[in-house]
Amino acid sequence: MSTILGTAILGTGDVAGGHVRAYQTNPHTEVRAILSRDRQRAEAKAHEFSLTGCSAYTSLDELLKRDDIQIVSICTPHYLHVEQAIACAQAGKHVIVEKPVALDLDGLRKLDEAIRKAGVRSVVSFVLRWNPLFENIRALLADGMIGDIFHGEVDYLHGITKDLALYPWVRRKQFGGSALLTAGCHAVDALRWFVQQEAVEVFSYANTSPGNPLDYEYEPNSVTLVRFAGGAMGKVMTSIESVAPYTFPIVLMGNGGTIRDNRVFSKRWPGLRGWATIPTILPDSGSVEHHPFVPEIAHFVDCIQRGVESHCNVADAVKTHEICLAAEVSRIESKPVRLPFA
């Protein structure tokens, strides 16, 4: 088998471009196929990145017949992820799936089962796990800098306005699902990644701003509370119609200190009179160019080469998605929802 892993990209949007750049940076991968409903769009994307020898496809079945493609990046609209990822897994391809991987529990279960049965490697693109601030926070937590966490808050505040390319389909419930699924799942996953406890109960409120100025078919704002098995509690505020610059605020409180974004206060630093600031890259932009796809792809390639599972695989992502889906049930039924689902 060649040491170069052939890759295919499903979709031709900005996120697909982020994946292409990451594969081009990696010495072990080569983009060999791009799929789109419009062949000309696929050809244009290949031309944009000077991908010589890259074929354009409109049929996923035809693309998956190629034995020189080992990895598929699924960068299509949310509602296509389950069907496409299952087909890729059944064809023996390793898959990296953009979030959310599914918009309902049935699809989530089917995808998880297909990945397990096929025995392929997977990564769900909660790409902020590779953001430098996230890596710094994880190092501080591992070192016990703030002790045991008893409360965490991670918010996703991003006004998806009508001038953005994704707006026409994100605003529709069939395609977006909910504020948490279409966007806030990044914050839910971050909360899990930091707290490192199993979620056992979820309660959520959601609303739309007066007049629904952005015409959403579902509530684009939500506040979700999470209770964890170890006793910690968490909060995720999501808004995709906020009238403000993009922000992704993080607060983690422990019995030995507190982290607020890139600021730390800890009992372990004697004489500390205020916040200590870490000069690092924050998750402070929704731009694709800001996302750390390069280390994410490098991690995935390493997992494939070593035959190990990723910490961000589909099985792990199921737990993040279950919180998002439980929040929707809680909103509808106006009561807490226990996890895991029966």
Side-chain angles (χ1 to χ4, degrees), residues 192-205:
R192 286 189 56 240
W193 187 230
F194 296 140
V195 173
Q196 289 292 298
Q197 297 177 20
E198 296 293 324
V200 295
E201 189 173 82
V202 176
F203 187 80
S204 187
Y205 291 107

Side-chain angles (χ1 to χ4, degrees), residues 6-327:
T7 68
I9 311 291
L10 310 189
T12 57
D14 290 343
V15 171
H19 284 240
V20 171
R21 292 186 191 93
Y23 286 127
Q24 287 181 312
T25 300
N26 195 294
H28 304 291
T29 58
E30 179 181 67
V31 180
R32 294 174 177 165
I34 297 178
L35 176 126
S36 173
R37 291 175 297 178
D38 183 342
R39 184 179 297 274
Q40 290 184 335
R41 288 177 63 89
E43 292 172 344
K45 184 63 71 172
H47 178 74
E48 177 186 349
F49 289 95
S50 302
L51 297 173
T52 57
C54 177
S55 302
Y57 287 86
T58 58
S59 166
L60 180 58
D61 290 340
E62 288 301 312
L63 186 155
L64 294 177
K65 291 177 182 178
R66 292 183 55 168
D67 59 9
D68 63 339
I69 290 175
Q70 290 80 37
I71 302 173
V72 179
S73 276
I74 300 175
C75 307
T76 49
H78 309 335
Y79 69 99
L80 297 172
H81 291 177
V82 169
E83 179 182 353
Q84 291 177 336
I86 290 175
C88 292
Q90 291 175 342
K93 312 299 184 185
H94 305 295
V95 291
I96 179 165
V97 191
E98 276 299 323
K99 50 58 124 181
V101 298
L103 295 176
D104 56 52
L105 189 61
D106 182 58
L108 186 65
R109 293 283 185 260
K110 288 179 178 177
L111 175 56
D112 186 30
E113 180 182 3
I115 296 290
R116 292 176 188 271
K117 186 175 181 179
V120 297
R121 304 298 169 208
S122 64
V123 160
V124 174
S125 195
F126 288 120
V127 68
L128 292 178
R129 289 195 183 192
W130 288 270
N131 174 270
L133 175 63
F134 276 49
E135 293 181 326
N136 279 306
I137 289 175
R138 287 273 295 181
L140 290 168
L141 296 176
D143 197 39
M145 193 59 67
I146 66 167
D148 296 322
I149 295 176
F150 60 84
H151 178 76
E153 298 183 21
V154 185
D155 298 335
Y156 184 100
L157 308 175
H158 183 192
I160 299 178
T161 51
K162 294 181 179 180
D163 60 316
L164 297 180
L166 74 167
Y167 168 78
W169 60 268
V170 165
R171 61 167 286 273
R172 299 183 60 188
K173 185 169 180 59
Q174 177 187 359
F175 301 151
S178 69
L180 274 180
L181 282 170
T182 201
C185 57
H186 274 303
V188 174
D189 188 72
L191 182 65
R192 286 189 56 240
W193 187 230
F194 296 140
V195 173
Q196 289 292 298
Q197 297 177 20
E198 296 293 324
V200 295
E201 189 173 82
V202 176
F203 187 80
S204 187
Y205 291 107
N207 72 2
T208 305
S209 67
N212 191 13
L214 293 177
D215 243 359
Y216 277 100
E217 293 182 355
Y218 55 91
E219 293 81 0
N221 314 295
S222 67
V223 176
T224 300
L225 305 179
V226 183
R227 185 163 63 86
F228 292 94
M233 57 184 179
K235 185 269 290 183
V236 173
M237 166 63 190
T238 299
S239 176
I240 52 175
E241 65 165 0
S242 62
V243 185
Y246 176 101
T247 54
F248 197 97
I250 299 167
V251 177
L252 301 170
M253 299 179 181
N255 57 4
T258 299
I259 296 171
R260 295 183 67 91
D261 300 324
N262 63 328
R263 295 174 293 164
V264 184
F265 188 88
S266 174
K267 289 180 179 179
R268 290 180 55 183
W269 289 334
L272 195 65
R273 294 177 176 271
W275 296 100
T277 301
I278 301 172
T280 188
I281 299 172
L282 278 66
D284 56 2
S285 171
S287 170
V288 168
E289 287 75 14
H290 186 74
H291 294 338
F293 288 115
V294 170
E296 179 188 49
I297 295 296
H299 163 80
F300 190 35
V301 170
D302 181 63
C303 289
I304 293 169
Q305 291 176 328
R306 294 193 296 119
V308 299
E309 289 291 347
S310 168
H311 58 72
C312 205
N313 63 4
V314 167
D316 180 80
V318 163
K319 298 177 182 180
T320 294
H321 285 69
E322 280 189 335
I323 293 174
C324 299
L325 293 167

